[in-house]
Amino acid sequence: MTEKKFVRVNDVELAYVDEGEGDAVILLHGFPDSSYLWRHQIPALVEGGFRVIAPDLRGFGDSGKPQEAEAYGMQTIVNDVVALTMKLGVKRPHLVGHDWGAAIAWMYAFLMPRRIDHLAVLSVGHPGVFANPSLEQRAASWYMLFYQFPGVSEELLRRNGWRLFKEIMGRDGDYDRYLRDLARPGALTAGLNWYRANRSPAAELRPARPFPPVLAPTLGIWGAGDKALLEEGMAASGKFVKGPWRYERVEDAGHWLPLDAPDEVNKLLLGFLGTERPAHEERRPRRRL
């Protein structure tokens, strides 16, 4: 990948990759990744005629790492993405997200319907589904509760050569790279703050608000080997989408779809982006000759 560029948005410096020409596609990673997650997708999308922008979201990679949990609320990070598009002159991008990046992409889509073209979400379904998780899903995402204890979580994850972190992650994703990235000053706390700001038990007690429908054409992709997120989260997301909805299950992939099944993900993205009309753009009837 090319050298990263930097831009300041919302009092945080964001690093990002910007390659290619054409309609813009913004790639949003999750925990504990960076724009490096998308190294197989970026060249394929550029070759497919797109301009590809892949930021290191706040708290990750080479971007700024505020240490306060309140700096990582979902609305704040959506605002980062909006500000990034405005700085780069992008009015209506395609948005592709994985893990936390998918959660951000969902929220961007239903809050900013006129500033998105197509939406593709990997692994993580609509927050409306996750608002009432099954007991099975709660068990699968037990680590979210473990990450809630400032200082304690960090010390336990680092202890004995990061043994617990290695056991949680297994050999999934860029597991060897994660330890180097999280060893940077403030990086582990910054990453865990995403969970503390958005997935605390207290957050479940807040009054539920109805979600605006997603008008953008939406593609949901889930890997059958995902140990952290159950299929129900993605498969049931269509009821929150008013625009065209498509769900794809990838059999030979786990949670890290961009790495586990890069060719299939690339094929799905290239076959989807720019192909549908959103719900609020109705076709005008053709005039008869």
Side-chain angles (χ1 to χ4, degrees), residues 56-77:
D56 293 349
L57 294 172
R58 66 164 62 201
F60 295 112
D62 295 318
S63 290
K65 298 173 177 59
Q67 293 298 285
E68 310 80 24
E70 53 268 23
Y72 294 89
M74 296 283 282
Q75 183 70 65
T76 297
I77 298 163

Side-chain angles (χ1 to χ4, degrees), residues 220-242:
I221 311 174
W222 181 79
D226 197 321
K227 300 171 187 174
L229 294 157
L230 306 183
E231 186 171 16
E232 64 195 39
M234 186 65 78
S237 293
K239 62 186 177 183
F240 295 96
V241 179
K242 189 176 179 181

